[in-house]
């Protein structure tokens, strides 16, 4: 071996060592994302899930996963680059190629798939499916475009509750949009109780989930603290997710009125009285200060006893003791 070859070999070793050190440091700062686990074990949550029930990975490695909604046979639609369909066998296929940046979705009583669509310069609430029914329902509030449309909830009258960074809106059937809540900063998830007499709203910057009474015409009143999150914002935390807010995102309810909340802690489950019943620990990457967590929830399966948990490019599902409410599906 020549002198120069020896130097080259040593240099290569130093470079390799440097790469390993840099990679390790990057992982500690959250630069590398931990792969999603194949499953989690659920703890016992009374009336919701039996101890040790597997929370199974259906699909990982997706670009994004948002706004799940069940189809009539219990298959699940999930917003990604387009709209994906996860069938009852776990096969994931493309259902709609171009979704205009859809986030939240829901079926109305006419069998139309309503979606909040957030493509740049084309944000709107509209019918996404079937193809011959595609139309815009609302694309502005008082002449101003929406800003980062996010989530939505449909009532049985055909009204749409939806959120963007500026507030929470209600679009009555055949009517015009009104902003019904503007005092909640950066609102995200929202869901109606099974009897549609209560609207639950996530407060990402707060300690409590909020609740409002809903009148027969869709208007709301009587704001109150409903449930105290287990997950709270931790200012200054090395993980930006914890530093930013409590992670409160998507929501679901079951037929008994229990409320399910996707947060930084996992899936928090509350009784209809706001008591924390337990947490499904769907969360990974915290050891690298890069938490990956659920973002949205929906009940599916032929008996509506499968809870789908989506977020961070993944789709998980878990068999529950509880049943999702009867909602329009297509």
């Amino acid at each position: 071996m020549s002198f120069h070859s020896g130097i080259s070999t040593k240099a290569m070793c130093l470079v390799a060592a440097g790469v390993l050190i840099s990679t390790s440091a990057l992982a500690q700062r959250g630069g590398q994302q931990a792969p999603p686990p194949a499953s989690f074990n659920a703890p016992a949550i009374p009336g919701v899930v039996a101890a040790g029930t597997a929370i199974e990975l259906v699909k990982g490695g997706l670009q994004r996963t948002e706004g799940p909604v069940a189809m009539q046979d219990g298959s699940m639609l999930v917003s990604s680059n387009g709209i994906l369909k996860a069938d009852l066998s776990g096969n994931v296929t493309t259902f709609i190629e171009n979704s205009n940046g859809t986030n939240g979705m829901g079926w109305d009583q006419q069998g139309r798939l309503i979606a909040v669509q957030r493509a740049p310069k084309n944000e709107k609430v509209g019918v996404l499916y079937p193809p011959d029914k595609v139309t815009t329902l609302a694309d502005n509030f008082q002449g101003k475009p929406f800003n980062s449309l996010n989530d939505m909830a449909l009532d049985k009258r055909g009204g749409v509750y939806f959120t963007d960074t500026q507030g929470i809106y209600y679009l009555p059937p055949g009517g015009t949009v009104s902003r019904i809540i503007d005092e909640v900063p950066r609102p995200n998830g929202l869901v109606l109780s099974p009897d549609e007499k209560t609207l639950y709203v996530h407060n990402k910057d707060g300690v409590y989930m909020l609740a409002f009474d809903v009148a027969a015409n869709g208007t709301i009143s009587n704001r109150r603290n409903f449930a105290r999150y287990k997950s709270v914002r931790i200012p200054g935390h090395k993980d930006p997710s914890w530093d930013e807010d409590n992670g409160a995102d998507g929501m679901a309810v079951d037929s008994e009125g229990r409320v399910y909340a996707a947060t930084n802690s996992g899936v928090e489950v509350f009784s209809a009285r706001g008591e924390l019943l337990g947490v499904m620990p769907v969360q990974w990457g915290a050891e690298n200060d890069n938490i990956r967590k659920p973002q949205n929830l929906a009940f599916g399966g032929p008996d509506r006893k499968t809870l789908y948990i989506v977020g961070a490019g993944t789709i998980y599902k878990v068999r529950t003791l509880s049943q999702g409410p009867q909602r329009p599906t297509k």
Side-chain angles (χ1 to χ4, degrees), residues 1-325:
M1 178 184 295
S2 70
F3 175 75
H4 292 291
S5 296
I7 291 177
S8 298
T9 302
K10 289 179 181 178
M12 290 174 64
C13 290
L14 287 172
V15 169
V19 168
L20 288 173
I21 292 170
S22 298
T23 301
S24 176
L26 187 62
Q28 292 299 316
R29 294 196 306 269
Q32 287 189 337
Q33 296 179 1
S39 66
F40 300 90
N41 287 326
I45 301 178
V48 175
V49 66
T53 301
I55 304 170
E56 305 170 315
L57 180 66
V58 176
K59 185 74 173 179
L62 302 170
Q63 291 297 312
R64 69 184 186 103
T65 42
E66 293 278 358
V69 63
M71 300 190 73
Q72 192 168 25
D73 68 351
S75 298
M76 189 62 53
L77 297 183
V78 177
S79 300
S80 188
N81 282 352
I83 305 299
L84 304 178
K85 177 183 175 181
D87 68 20
L88 301 180
S89 298
N91 300 309
V92 178
T93 56
T94 299
F95 183 72
I96 297 174
E97 288 281 355
N98 181 8
S99 69
N100 195 45
T102 284
N103 242 47
M105 300 184 289
W107 297 101
D108 71 4
Q109 297 287 343
Q110 303 176 51
R112 303 181 304 175
L113 184 62
I114 310 299
V116 290
Q117 304 167 34
R118 57 186 298 175
K121 298 183 180 180
N122 192 25
E123 296 203 29
K124 60 188 175 183
V125 180
V127 180
L128 191 62
Y129 181 89
D132 62 338
K133 300 293 185 182
V134 170
T135 189
T136 297
L137 300 176
D139 59 8
N140 72 88
F141 173 63
Q142 296 181 344
K144 296 181 180 179
F146 297 118
N147 182 22
S148 295
L149 289 170
N150 196 325
D151 209 346
M152 59 164 287
L154 280 162
D155 64 28
K156 294 174 183 176
R157 300 170 60 246
V160 187
Y161 295 90
F162 60 98
T163 66
D164 74 357
T165 58
Q166 303 169 97
I168 299 176
Y169 305 84
Y170 182 63
L171 174 63
T176 57
V177 175
S178 60
R179 186 156 59 200
I180 57 174
I181 302 172
D182 60 8
E183 74 273 20
V184 179
R186 298 185 303 122
N188 199 316
L190 72 173
V191 71
L192 288 162
S193 61
D195 62 8
E196 300 193 351
K197 293 182 179 180
T198 307
L199 178 70
Y200 301 105
V201 174
H202 267 325
N203 186 1
K204 291 166 67 84
D205 293 330
V207 176
Y208 292 96
M209 182 190 301
L210 305 176
F212 298 81
D213 293 338
V214 180
N217 64 357
T219 58
I220 63 169
S221 61
N222 188 26
R223 169 179 169 160
R224 59 196 179 276
N225 293 333
F226 169 71
R228 185 182 180 92
Y229 297 111
K230 177 180 176 63
S231 175
V232 294
R233 177 174 177 254
I234 306 173
H237 196 286
K238 290 186 294 183
D239 188 325
S241 293
W242 285 105
D243 181 49
E244 181 182 14
D245 53 46
N246 60 22
D249 203 323
M251 306 172 76
V253 294
D254 66 22
S255 58
E256 299 299 315
R258 287 177 283 252
V259 183
Y260 299 66
T263 73
N264 281 342
S265 294
V267 180
E268 301 185 28
V269 185
F270 301 93
S271 74
R273 295 182 298 276
E275 304 156 326
L276 180 63
L277 301 176
V279 182
M280 298 185 202
V282 185
Q283 180 228 72
W284 69 99
E287 67 277 7
N288 291 332
D289 294 325
N290 188 12
I291 188 174
R292 315 299 286 165
K293 65 181 190 67
Q295 292 172 279
N296 285 280
L297 316 166
F299 279 95
D303 57 0
R304 308 194 312 281
K305 285 190 173 182
T306 299
L307 181 68
Y308 283 80
I309 305 166
V310 308
T314 65
I315 303 172
Y316 281 92
K317 67 178 181 179
V318 58
R319 287 290 293 168
T320 57
L321 305 172
S322 54
Q323 186 177 50

